[in-house]
Amino acid sequence: WKAWIEKNDPENFPIPDFAEKINSDKEIGSFISMCLIRGLREDRTRIAAINFIESQVGKAFTKPLSYTPSDNLNESINIVPILYLLSAGADPTQSIDDLAKKRRKFPTEKVSMGEGQEVVARRAINA
């Protein structure tokens, strides 16, 4: 068990003593594997959960969604702000500005949320 727990990616290796039993039960085996990973290697839970979801319902449910600012604008209404939740390194500012220029609505109001920015955001929404 110790060697399995200390692996960099234990979710990709058979679980000691239980691999055959877990693999034989197609309905709950991958769930049990995910639970064991969660209990013994919490740092690998996200990856184990992705593996579980992909095994049960397919990769379409774990692929990140990516919409262009144009897609977002087409699905929005003018009285509701568009909120982007970004991961590290993501910056849609240029795409937003390009779209605004194309639609002759440049410059646009953008607020990078953080501590103390609520007042700025409310002001932009109510403008």
Side-chain angles (χ1 to χ4, degrees):
W1 278 91
K2 183 178 180 191
W4 180 80
I5 289 171
E6 291 176 348
K7 289 187 179 299
N8 286 334
D9 56 345
E11 69 280 354
N12 293 325
F13 291 90
I15 295 171
D17 303 326
F18 295 101
E20 188 177 314
K21 176 106 173 109
I22 288 172
N23 292 335
S24 69
D25 192 339
K26 297 296 180 199
E27 285 187 23
I28 198 163
S30 57
F31 180 74
I32 291 171
S33 295
M34 181 183 66
C35 290
L36 281 169
I37 294 288
R38 169 67 175 90
L40 299 171
R41 284 289 304 271
E42 188 173 354
D43 61 312
R44 305 300 292 181
T45 300
R46 181 177 178 275
I47 295 166
I50 288 170
N51 291 344
F52 170 71
I53 292 166
E54 288 177 353
S55 75
Q56 297 302 304
V57 293
K59 290 186 179 200
F61 292 89
T62 58
K63 288 184 181 176
L65 300 176
S66 182
Y67 296 100
T68 65
S70 181
D71 293 337
N72 293 333
L73 186 64
N74 292 335
E75 292 185 21
S76 68
I77 58 175
N78 66 348
I79 60 170
V80 177
I82 297 173
L83 178 66
Y84 286 93
L85 301 176
L86 305 175
S87 57
D91 185 5
T93 305
Q94 189 60 50
S95 299
I96 293 168
D97 287 344
D98 291 344
L99 178 62
K101 287 175 186 172
K102 217 183 276 186
R103 296 179 62 104
R104 296 187 177 134
K105 304 279 186 185
F106 189 79
T108 59
E109 189 69 41
K110 294 178 279 302
V111 178
S112 180
M113 294 304 293
E115 189 173 333
Q117 292 299 99
E118 181 182 350
V119 172
V120 176
R122 288 187 185 278
R123 198 176 310 128
I125 291 169
N126 294 327

